[in-house]
Amino acid sequence: MPATPPVVASVAASLAQQQIALAQSELQQQTWGSGNIPAGLVAIVPQVLLTQAALALNTWETSITPAQSLYARTSGIPIVHELTGVGLLGVLLLPTLATTALNSTGMLLPLVGALEGTGGITPVQNAVSTAALNSRVYALVPVTMRATTEPIVYVSINGGPSTPVLVDTGSSGLVVTRASVGDAAPLGSPTSTGTSGYSGGLTYSYTSYKTTVDFGNGIVTEPTDVAIVDTADAAKALAFFQQLGGASGVLGIGANAAGPGPSIPTTALPGDLSQGVFLYQSLFLGIAGVMVFGPNPLPSRTSVAGAPDAYLTVKVGNNTTTNVGAIIDSGGVYGTILSSMIGGKTSVPVGTRISVYTPDGVLLYTYTVTSYNAPTVITSGLINTGYVPYQHGPVYLDYTTPDGMGATHFDYA
């Protein structure tokens, strides 16, 4: 697929601007408009903050696409590209500034209400709190890379303890043991049961419940299905998870992954945050990165249909280029390769160059096999990219495709 600008969702941001305008009008009416001078004086700062929030959102809406396009056009031009990146970052921060201004407004409104005295400030508070939710276009979560290949983030499930989980684009669904789930609210009746597993040898039975998943900093899902490993399999499951960079569970975020499901927590985030997941594992010298929820924050260099299951074209050394089904898998360690792609060999020799392309020939990434990063050779099935594409640059999983299968965007860095 050709390079295209990212899809920028602004519906929620537009709603936020309408709610800000409503809050400003109501606040004016309940203070100066009613002749309440003390309340009007106290309302000056909230009005200024509301104006700042509206300006930030309006500037973001009008500037984001041009800023992303300029960033893409300057790729490969030293210094200029870095400067346009700084400009793009400034635009990306505007919705966050709007949310901060709205939250500050919400903190000041009770004082206005105390002077206003009739309870008429409640509609203003409701409009501001709703606008604060809608204005949050992006949300960022730090990613820690462990054991070189394992991206780890922390979540709190049902108000429970902060739990490290592996970010796995190769699966769908959040799977943990009961010890990682809090008791802040009753889990209620199970939503499903089943048996599943992960490559590497784990098979387990689970029971799913609807509850919240909290990524920190106010990033909380609506109630969504979480798979809790049954007690009989909990010990072996936790031992398996611990091998994944010390994780206590797996956060599967793939749109068209085989499972285990039954849902993808990141699609249950509010507003624009549910549109997709941006993952950049090597942002800080390969030891840390970021995961961003929301529309694609960077321009897309190219993309393939499907996330993580997609068709790719692969060339291994001097062997014939092969079109093959693949799993673009952040949790796939060093990946797999078909023996037929390397002349029937059982291992990939050190020094072999592996190049991966879109089906229409756009280079996605290339790397040289060393003594520690060689993909495992398999005889059949889908190949697995492993963590390599996520280490080479930013990748965005788009949940908004009409077919529900998702798309994988390889962004400009």
Side-chain angles (χ1 to χ4, degrees), residues 30 36 39 110-121:
Q30 295 300 325
N36 190 330
L111 181 56
V112 180
L115 295 171
E116 188 270 341
T118 68
I121 205 69

Side-chain angles (χ1 to χ4, degrees), residues 3-87:
T4 56
V7 176
V8 176
S10 58
V11 174
S14 296
L15 285 173
Q17 292 197 64
Q18 295 174 27
Q19 289 147 0
I20 291 170
L22 174 62
Q24 289 177 307
S25 175
E26 288 284 339
L27 187 58
Q28 171 68 20
Q29 181 178 343
Q30 295 300 325
T31 55
W32 295 108
S34 65
N36 190 330
I37 295 175
L41 291 172
V42 175
I44 290 175
V45 174
Q47 286 282 21
V48 170
L49 290 170
L50 288 171
T51 300
Q52 290 176 343
L55 178 60
L57 288 175
N58 182 66
T59 304
W60 173 78
E61 284 190 298
T62 57
S63 303
I64 182 64
T65 299
Q68 289 171 323
S69 298
L70 181 61
Y71 184 71
R73 291 199 305 272
T74 60
S75 179
I77 306 175
I79 301 178
V80 175
H81 189 61
E82 283 73 15
L83 290 174
T84 58
V86 172

